[in-house]
Amino acid sequence: MDSAAALEDVDENIARVCRIARRERDDVNLIAVSKTHPADAIEPLLAAGHRLFGENRVQEAADKWPALRERYDGVELHLIGQLQSNKAEDAAALFDVIHSLDRPSLLKALAKAYDKLGKRVPCFVQVDVGEEEQKGGCAIADLPELLARAKEADIPLLGLMCIPPADKEPAPFFALLGELARRHEPEPGAWGLSMGMSADFETAIMLGATHIRVGSALFGARG
Ligand SMILES: *Cc1c(COP(=O)(O)O)cnc(C)c1O
């Protein structure tokens, strides 16, 4: 199956789950995660009209996307991977949304880059819901402090993001992320939830995901 056919399949699935969840289809954004896939593999999705993409490495995105953006209008590029503070400026220049704000040092680096570039890229705060440090994410106990600092530094926040442990049932972690968002969002319904990947996006939508990050279901397995 090519990626354009896979996109139709995934889209139908999203619509079906939205009907069950009594949610509006437009409230769920499908981020096509194109990491490791070359421009050739991405183009069928662009040609089919898809415009929302995710990458997990700044350098890889910088190599692939400027040329694609010249050929297709309206591309929105999201950084979904861990971000080193020394790449904050490159990330701010290249991406439209950052999903991996997770610590004060990165927050500082982003604020500095935003001031320099005159551009404030909105962020999701990544939460370490599974207490797995190697995946990044802010510890739940540190979340209030990080959110307060983001406000001080005038970093626009879109909501919370998580990657649940691969070997556990994801639903409780998705529910927890939703609970944390409701507790901390500035007003009811203000925040989105970036959660759900190829294997579990239906569950994530049932539990309120607004941004699902889907790679292998669209592009096939990564080599
Ligand atoms: C790779 C990746 C995805 C997509 O994973 P699939 O299982 O291929 O859908 C989603 N989120 C993050 C943070 C990723 O790194």
Side-chain angles (χ1 to χ4, degrees):
M1 183 160 54
D2 66 26
S3 56
L7 176 66
E8 278 187 37
D9 261 23
V10 170
D11 253 332
E12 270 176 33
N13 257 325
I14 295 169
R16 180 181 54 81
V17 179
C18 283
R19 282 193 300 274
I20 297 169
R22 298 177 185 270
R23 298 187 58 195
E24 297 289 335
R25 170 65 187 85
D26 288 350
D27 292 343
V28 178
N29 298 281
L30 170 60
I31 302 172
V33 177
S34 49
K35 65 184 184 195
T36 77
H37 297 288
D40 286 359
I42 300 171
E43 286 217 51
L45 290 196
L46 286 161
H50 196 77
R51 289 294 180 270
L52 178 53
F53 290 86
E55 292 281 347
N56 70 334
R57 289 172 194 273
V58 176
Q59 189 55 53
E60 185 185 339
D63 290 342
K64 282 193 314 207
W65 281 96
L68 286 168
R69 275 181 151 156
E70 266 178 31
R71 302 183 42 213
Y72 296 92
D73 282 337
V75 167
E76 202 181 305
L77 199 55
H78 289 212
L79 178 65
I80 60 167
Q82 279 182 277
L83 177 56
Q84 292 172 288
S85 297
N86 65 4
K87 301 250 175 73
E89 192 177 326
D90 291 343
L94 189 60
F95 288 94
D96 300 296
V97 174
I98 294 170
H99 289 239
S100 48
L101 173 55
D102 65 352
R103 59 194 190 279
S105 57
L106 176 58
L107 194 151
K108 252 192 227 165
L110 282 174
K112 195 170 151 204
Y114 289 4
D115 289 342
K116 185 168 167 195
L117 298 172
K119 166 185 187 196
R120 308 196 88 74
V121 180
C123 293
F124 286 87
V125 170
Q126 183 179 348
V127 184
D128 183 14
V129 287
E131 301 181 337
E132 290 183 304
E133 277 173 31
Q134 73 282 7
K135 281 189 184 163
C138 170
I140 291 171
D142 299 337
L143 188 58
E145 166 83 17
L146 188 65
L147 295 175
R149 288 199 193 199
K151 196 170 175 196
E152 259 170 42
D154 198 15
I155 302 215
L157 295 185
L158 296 177
L160 303 181
M161 178 273 215
C162 76
I163 309 170
D167 58 345
K168 298 206 173 98
E169 163 62 39
F173 297 102
F174 294 155
L176 172 60
L177 196 71
E179 184 57 39
L180 291 168
R182 282 189 292 277
R183 193 178 307 162
H184 293 292
E185 64 193 350
E187 53 192 81
W191 274 1
L193 296 172
S194 168
M195 60 188 196
M197 319 202 309
S198 293
D200 54 21
F201 68 84
E202 289 100 336
T203 305
I205 293 169
M206 291 303 295
L207 291 165
T210 60
H211 293 71
I212 58 173
R213 310 178 307 263
V214 177
S216 48
L218 292 171
F219 294 103
R222 287 177 292 275

